[in-house]
Amino acid sequence: MKGIIVLLLFFGLSYNSTAQKIASFGKIDKEEFALQECSYDKGAPAEYLLEVAEVRYYFTSSDFVNETRTRIRIKILNEKGLDLANVRIPFYKVGNRHRIGDIEGYTYNLNSAGEVEATKMEKKSVMEQKLDEDFDMKVFTLPNVKVGSVIEYRYDHSKRNSLEIEDWVFQRTLPVRYSEYNVEIPNNLEFTYMIRRTLPVKETTEGIRQAKRFIMTNIPGLDREPFMSTSKDYLQRLDFQLRSINGQPRMTTWPLLTDLLLDNENFGMQIKKNIYKHTELPASLKNISSPYEKLTTILNFVKKEVTWNGKSYFVTDEGIKNALEKHSGNSADMNLLLISLLRDAGLKAYPLLVSTRNNGKVNVTYPFLYQFNDVYVYTEINETPYIIDATNYSNPPFLVPWDVQFTEGFLVDKEVGKFVSLGDIQHRFRLVASILGEITPEGKVQGTANVVAYDYAKTERLRSLRKGEKNYIDEYFSSAHPEFQFDSLTYKNEKNDSLPLENLVQFHGSLSTSGDYLFYSPNFLMELEKNEFISDKRFTDVEFGYVQYYNMFTTLRFPAGFDLEELPKNIRMIMPDTSISLQRFVAKNDNSISMRYTLEIKRPTYYADEYPDFKAFYTKLFEMLNEQIVFKRKTNAKP
């Protein structure tokens, strides 16, 4: 990624004021109320005028404390920004080691005389709520907030016996005028930091102890865009990782990181647990000679015996033995258990650190451990690699899980440790629809469709099907085509990894009409009903996550009382780089129309600087897909 900088921090223990003179907390200049919109991000519902955090370490009589003081000031520009007055601050509650405290807040308004009135938030407004098993949150609402208000609040986040520095994100979904991060570290600790940026960052070093400050200004908001990977891949940000303690290196190279992980009780030591002989697997595998069948048998055993608890991380919660006994565990519990069992069965298997699509891409230049958020299984059979996540109940072993498609994973092993490219272009998102429809004299349409989903199209549909058949019909049929009713659905091969998922559905509905004219849209059941790429500008890459192939065959019969007024022409469209192609064949035979649409997308990713050409092609593509077949009732025809 452009704009990544890796540097080292050497700091002592001192504590200074901010590097630039900024308005004091509780004070505001009247000029701020003249602002009607954000000059560098027009149309934004609010602007973060100020976001500052200061990190320091200090010692108490019994603890080593890492404390971050954060201050935020926001201007509300229109009604959509009013919800920013409702503040939620999550914190880790396990072990009572984290604390959010010293919360203060103000709301500033201009009164009828044009003078600033400050309303202080009462301490009783701050409440604490449970978020989940691991996190609680502080909750409060700033008072008297309306369009034109300026709100601000500050709080302390302290962590006992914690060495890690919180990462800092300069950019938000809304624009930020001024963002500053101040870090000050004891001289017996050494950190590495990584700056991900495309905008300028001012860095200053101050004082005898060399406290470091990072400042960024006028940062436009980053909106969620269709088919983007995750905001983390594009946000202007700072990431930190501990490098050494008292001069002793921690994770300065990938081999050193490998050693630390393999010696960790909640990671590498779990793989060495003697679990295999206490399971039913030795008997189950006794007469199986195929390595792949052994793999699937062991994988199905883990999925059957351990239910995923919904948590993903690269170290265990329970430990693989306890997870097996309790029949529940996090992703590391399940995947490290699978590795242990595969090895005991004589198969090669290794832990693979991954960063899933919603966590962001990995920077391979420096061993930042916490850029990974999960561990998967890497195994080889006859030199063919398999990437497996035991928590993914829909994905067969031969498909790279979609949430790590076209990313880099780190194989954790002293002998063969390396980065592994996880892209899979052999398997596609492939969808084939065969439709037989008939139009009635009343202008109704009815028929049957057989929709066949292969590879990634199948895994996506199986995830939906696991939530129930009603959810599945709503997601893939009813919501996409509200003008139709789907009377029945039968499907097969949902439990057979080697065969596609077949869906046979009956449907009926009404054609769109205008006077004597009736319209039928051939773009039916292809999952291509809506063009997502309509914005004129795009900041992020388009990431589909797989290559794609769509094929639709339709036979449509119409009554003798209808004349065919307009029929889409045969056509072939090809992207200049040949990565996208659409072919359409349409023919009339008596009172029947035959159609074949074939769309192929050969690239999983289109870069932001290619977007103008990509958008122009996609606009034309959807014009072709959505061309209607037009009928006209004959003058003497009766419905």
Side-chain angles (χ1 to χ4, degrees):
M1 179 184 289
K2 290 191 298 183
I4 293 180
I5 301 175
V6 179
L7 297 170
L8 302 182
L9 299 174
F10 300 88
F11 299 132
L13 188 61
S14 65
Y15 197 47
N16 297 313
S17 59
T18 55
Q20 178 170 321
K21 182 66 175 177
I22 56 178
S24 300
F25 184 77
K27 305 287 185 181
I28 189 169
D29 293 330
K30 189 184 295 187
E31 287 76 12
E32 294 291 4
F33 293 93
L35 177 71
Q36 300 299 316
E37 69 174 358
C38 177
S39 61
Y40 53 93
D41 195 346
K42 296 184 184 299
E47 180 185 7
Y48 282 75
L49 304 178
L50 179 70
E51 188 165 14
V52 176
E54 300 188 353
V55 180
R56 66 167 181 156
Y57 290 81
Y58 63 89
F59 296 89
T60 68
S61 58
S62 58
D63 292 316
F64 178 73
V65 179
N66 172 346
E67 182 176 86
T68 302
R69 167 159 285 196
T70 301
R71 178 187 168 196
I72 294 173
R73 177 177 282 186
I74 306 169
K75 175 67 183 289
I76 308 298
L77 298 173
N78 64 41
E79 289 81 359
K80 294 180 179 179
L82 291 173
D83 191 55
L84 292 170
N86 302 311
V87 183
R88 307 289 184 266
I89 306 173
F91 63 96
Y92 188 65
K93 68 179 181 181
V94 177
N96 198 30
R97 294 171 54 203
H98 291 204
R99 185 183 70 86
I100 301 291
D102 297 332
I103 299 174
E104 298 179 88
Y106 283 93
T107 300
Y108 308 101
N109 290 297
L110 288 182
N111 61 21
S112 57
E115 299 299 323
V116 175
E117 286 187 351
T119 306
K120 187 175 183 178
M121 182 182 69
E122 298 182 3
K123 291 187 178 297
K124 65 180 181 181
S125 300
V126 180
M127 296 178 290
E128 189 166 306
Q129 293 181 1
K130 177 182 174 65
L131 189 58
D132 57 32
E133 292 181 4
D134 296 330
F135 287 86
D136 284 347
M137 60 181 176
K138 294 289 186 178
V139 178
F140 57 90
T141 298
L142 293 158
N144 196 26
V145 178
K146 55 191 175 183
V147 174
S149 297
V150 176
I151 60 177
E152 78 169 334
Y153 56 92
R154 66 182 179 186
Y155 61 91
D156 290 341
H157 182 191
S158 61
K159 297 178 290 183
R160 293 188 294 108
N161 298 323
S162 173
L163 299 178
E164 297 300 332
I165 301 176
E166 293 287 336
D167 298 333
W168 181 251
V169 180
F170 295 101
Q171 192 171 31
R172 290 176 170 266
T173 56
L174 296 174
V176 181
R177 183 189 298 181
Y178 183 90
S179 179
E180 179 180 330
Y181 200 44
N182 309 316
V183 288
E184 183 181 281
I185 303 169
N187 54 18
N188 58 337
L189 300 180
E190 182 185 335
F191 279 79
T192 297
Y193 68 90
M194 177 169 58
I195 306 177
R196 301 173 183 263
R197 65 168 178 84
T198 54
L199 300 175
V201 175
K202 179 181 179 182
E203 300 181 40
T204 61
T205 304
E206 299 179 3
I208 298 175
R209 300 295 188 178
Q210 301 292 289
K212 193 79 171 180
R213 308 190 187 284
F214 305 87
I215 299 170
M216 186 178 284
T217 59
N218 295 343
I219 313 155
L222 177 62
D223 292 330
R224 182 73 196 173
E225 297 179 312
F227 293 97
M228 65 182 284
S229 55
T230 178
S231 298
K232 286 180 66 176
D233 284 338
Y234 303 95
L235 289 171
Q236 317 293 298
R237 58 184 290 127
L238 271 169
D239 296 332
F240 290 86
Q241 180 167 291
L242 184 62
R243 177 180 172 87
S244 71
I245 302 174
N246 293 323
Q248 298 299 312
R250 296 278 291 174
M251 293 174 283
T252 54
T253 65
W254 292 108
L256 183 55
L257 174 62
T258 297
D259 291 341
L260 289 171
L261 284 171
L262 293 178
D263 290 339
N264 188 290
E265 176 59 32
N266 294 318
F267 189 89
M269 300 306 292
Q270 292 294 319
I271 302 171
K272 300 178 181 180
K273 303 286 184 182
N274 193 355
I275 303 293
Y276 177 78
K277 68 179 183 181
H278 299 295
T279 69
E280 64 189 42
L281 286 171
S284 301
L285 298 173
K286 185 176 182 180
N287 297 319
I288 297 177
S289 58
S290 164
Y292 184 80
E293 190 176 348
K294 284 186 178 181
L295 168 62
T296 57
T297 300
I298 297 171
L299 175 59
N300 290 334
F301 170 82
V302 173
K303 291 181 176 181
K304 177 173 70 76
E305 294 295 327
V306 183
T307 299
W308 182 42
N309 62 15
K311 298 178 181 179
S312 296
Y313 204 42
F314 53 78
V315 293
T316 64
D317 272 347
E318 299 283 347
I320 65 173
K321 184 177 180 180
N322 287 334
L324 192 58
E325 291 174 352
K326 295 181 178 181
H327 303 288
S328 177
N330 71 359
S331 58
D333 290 317
M334 295 181 68
N335 286 318
L336 296 180
L337 171 63
L338 177 58
I339 293 169
S340 176
L341 296 175
L342 289 172
R343 287 184 174 184
D344 285 343
L347 298 176
K348 293 180 180 179
Y350 308 96
L352 184 72
L353 290 177
V354 298
S355 177
T356 55
R357 187 173 298 276
N358 62 357
N359 189 62
K361 293 182 175 63
V362 172
N363 174 19
V364 304
T365 59
Y366 194 83
F368 277 78
L369 177 61
Y370 293 101
Q371 61 185 324
F372 302 102
N373 68 325
D374 214 336
V375 57
Y376 285 2
V377 179
Y378 179 95
T379 184
E380 288 185 2
I381 297 175
N382 298 326
E383 298 184 354
T384 299
Y386 295 88
I387 312 301
I388 301 171
D389 173 22
T391 73
N392 190 330
Y393 296 92
S394 306
N395 208 78
F398 56 81
L399 280 186
V400 174
W402 176 84
D403 55 3
V404 296
Q405 262 275 63
F406 302 103
T407 67
E408 299 282 334
F410 181 66
L411 195 155
V412 184
D413 186 78
K414 292 185 178 181
E415 301 298 326
V416 296
K418 60 182 179 180
F419 272 96
V420 179
S421 296
L422 305 181
D424 182 354
I425 58 174
Q426 177 183 354
H427 299 96
R428 302 179 287 184
F429 179 101
R430 182 183 174 196
L431 201 65
V432 177
S434 300
I435 300 161
L436 179 61
E438 182 173 2
I439 299 173
T440 69
E442 295 78 20
K444 307 291 185 181
V445 62
Q446 59 192 22
T448 60
N450 187 30
V451 182
V452 186
Y454 299 79
D455 296 342
Y456 289 103
K458 178 179 180 179
T459 61
E460 284 194 8
R461 286 172 173 249
L462 287 179
R463 281 196 294 270
S464 177
L465 194 56
R466 284 179 61 84
K467 300 175 185 177
E469 188 172 303
K470 183 180 184 303
N471 177 83
Y472 181 70
I473 293 175
D474 288 344
E475 182 173 355
Y476 286 99
F477 297 95
S478 301
S479 62
H481 302 283
E483 70 276 19
F484 288 97
Q485 291 185 358
F486 297 88
D487 304 312
S488 66
L489 170 68
T490 58
Y491 47 85
K492 61 181 180 179
N493 302 330
E494 71 273 15
K495 296 182 179 180
N496 189 329
D497 288 345
S498 61
L499 295 175
L501 179 68
E502 293 191 39
N503 305 259
L504 184 63
V505 64
Q506 294 181 335
F507 62 89
H508 72 274
S510 299
L511 296 183
S512 300
T513 62
S514 177
D516 289 335
Y517 293 92
L518 303 95
F519 307 90
Y520 175 82
S521 175
N523 187 4
F524 184 48
L525 299 180
M526 286 182 68
E527 298 186 23
L528 294 168
E529 291 77 23
K530 181 181 178 183
N531 181 9
E532 301 281 359
F533 306 107
I534 59 176
S535 296
D536 292 331
K537 296 180 180 180
R538 188 174 176 105
F539 185 76
T540 65
D541 298 336
V542 176
E543 298 200 33
F544 292 115
Y546 33 57
V547 295
Q548 301 168 70
Y549 182 86
Y550 301 84
N551 214 337
M552 181 188 68
F553 304 91
T554 301
T555 299
L556 182 67
R557 294 192 292 264
F558 59 93
F562 286 14
D563 282 331
L564 181 59
E565 286 283 304
E566 189 173 328
L567 193 66
K569 295 180 174 61
N570 296 338
I571 194 171
R572 188 180 185 199
M573 288 178 56
I574 304 177
M575 189 88 163
D577 67 354
T578 73
S579 64
I580 306 178
S581 64
L582 171 69
Q583 189 166 8
R584 180 177 68 193
F585 171 81
V586 185
K588 177 183 178 295
N589 183 17
D590 296 329
N591 280 48
S592 176
I593 300 170
S594 298
M595 295 173 280
R596 183 178 74 243
Y597 284 66
T598 302
L599 173 64
E600 189 169 12
I601 304 175
K602 299 177 182 178
R603 285 175 55 184
T605 302
Y606 291 84
Y607 301 107
D609 57 5
E610 299 177 290
Y611 181 70
D613 292 338
F614 175 85
K615 175 184 179 293
F617 185 86
Y618 238 74
T619 299
K620 187 65 176 176
L621 172 69
F622 269 82
E623 288 176 1
M624 298 297 102
L625 287 173
N626 292 325
E627 280 191 15
Q628 307 260 339
I629 297 174
V630 183
F631 300 96
K632 184 180 181 182
R633 292 185 193 276
K634 294 181 180 180
T635 304
N636 60 352
K638 294 183 178 180

